[in-house]
Amino acid sequence: MKAFRRIRKAIFPVAGLGTRFLPATKALPKEMLPVVDKPVIQYIVEEALAAGLTDIVFITGRGKEAIENHFDVSLELERILEERQELEKLQVVRDTSHMVHVAYVRQKVPQGLGHAVLCAAPFVDDDEPFAVFLGDDLIMADVPAIQPLIAWSQEVQAPVIGVQSVSQAEVSAYGVIDGVPVHAGVYRVRRLVEKPPTEAAPSRLAIIGRYVLHPDIFSYIEATPPDARGEIQLTDALQVWVQDDRPLYAIEIQGRRYDTGSKLGFLQANIELGLQHPDVGPALQAYLRTLLRRIQPE
Ligand code: UTP
């Protein structure tokens, strides 16, 4: 593996079907669902930018045009806001369209996360490590959640994946790692298992939606067979990578994570971020107090 040069590129696979959130996601990409007043994907793009990443590649699919439109210029909307002299709103609209340099790649059939990442291969140089952000995994932290992964990957010149501890009952919904601690909150990965039965899970450290990868992973993904659901899993490709004695590290990501592709995670994100929002926070808090008294009288 060649040296880990500076990372600029952020890959956003956003081509999944979002079946856990039907019917909301039948015509609307789950990544465009709003948390308070911004689509989920915008929070995650802002995280990438805050970590110094400059080039965004979206892996999109059928029905995901709203994501492209969101980050594009909307001349008509800008003109109307300008005419009405709604200058603050105009600025918000302009900021969103000037936020990123984007490239879009189409994943023609949603064949899994591994396959979606592989679609980015033509956009990545063969010595260019890159970050991957899952478009529905919202992480609110003091520093951008991807930042420690980037820093550690530069230090050890190796790929790094983000993990967080989940409850025993939840492990079977995630890829799970078996790792040797090398530092506080840092593990050298020995093994990865995608969605293990609870009793077979090697730990409670679940892989969450942040990765720093090396382009050598593409040939591993190409060689990965589809799983029982016909999806090519990134975790399976990484498992063969580790079996080949290639280095892989995991970092426990600090911060609050919301799986906004699930109904509960989405609601939690809206409540918690709503409480922090200057426009609606105080009123929402008062409302929640009243509501609690109503549903849980003393
Ligand atoms: P998920 O497994 O959460 O997405 O993938 P999904 O398949 O849309 O979810 P459900 O289970 O049907 O509700 C995590 C991220 O990877 C993307 C998704 O868009 C999401 O942001 N993804 C997943 C792809 O880009 N392509 C795929 O084939 C699968």
Side-chain angles (χ1 to χ4, degrees), residues 13-20 30-31 59 64 107 110-113 116 134-136:
V14 291
L17 295 176
T19 56
R20 282 170 298 158
K30 63 175 169 178
E31 297 82 4
I59 315 297
K64 299 282 180 164
Q107 185 190 23
Q111 286 178 280
L113 176 60
L134 297 199
D136 56 354

Side-chain angles (χ1 to χ4, degrees), residues 5-123:
R5 69 182 223 207
R6 199 172 149 230
I7 300 173
R8 294 178 192 285
K9 213 158 266 172
I11 312 290
F12 282 76
V14 291
L17 295 176
T19 56
R20 282 170 298 158
F21 222 133
L22 283 168
T25 47
K26 190 173 168 215
L28 179 74
K30 63 175 169 178
E31 297 82 4
M32 285 300 293
L33 292 171
V35 172
V36 191
D37 55 1
K38 277 194 285 194
V40 173
I41 191 70
Q42 186 173 336
Y43 289 90
I44 307 177
V45 164
E46 285 173 357
E47 177 195 324
L49 298 180
L53 302 171
T54 48
D55 303 345
I56 308 280
V57 180
F58 283 113
I59 315 297
T60 69
R62 229 185 127 261
K64 299 282 180 164
E65 296 77 15
I67 299 176
E68 297 177 37
N69 293 338
H70 182 71
F71 291 106
D72 200 0
V73 176
S74 173
L75 289 178
E76 197 190 352
L77 181 59
E78 287 188 22
R79 188 178 49 75
I80 292 169
L81 292 173
E82 212 163 6
E83 277 168 17
R84 290 186 189 160
Q85 283 295 296
E86 299 202 61
L87 299 181
E88 260 180 50
K89 289 179 190 158
L90 177 64
Q91 198 53 46
V92 169
V93 167
R94 284 195 173 143
D95 286 351
T96 318
S97 50
H98 296 137
M99 189 169 276
V100 276
H101 299 289
V102 219
Y104 294 95
V105 191
R106 196 91 171 184
Q107 185 190 23
K108 291 185 184 155
V109 182
Q111 286 178 280
L113 176 60
H115 181 261
V117 171
L118 185 59
C119 292
F123 291 81

Side-chain angles (χ1 to χ4, degrees), residues 168-219:
Q168 196 74 33
E170 288 174 306
V171 283
S172 56
Y174 290 90
V176 178
I177 66 149
D178 172 14
V180 183
V182 291
H183 208 340
V186 184
Y187 304 82
R188 169 98 188 211
V189 179
R190 278 197 298 214
R191 192 160 64 94
L192 310 90
V193 200
E194 184 61 32
K195 300 190 176 62
T198 312
E199 59 289 355
S203 75
R204 282 172 35 188
L205 290 172
I207 304 168
I208 57 171
R210 301 292 183 273
Y211 306 75
V212 172
L213 299 175
H214 188 277
D216 283 359
I217 193 65
F218 294 135
S219 58

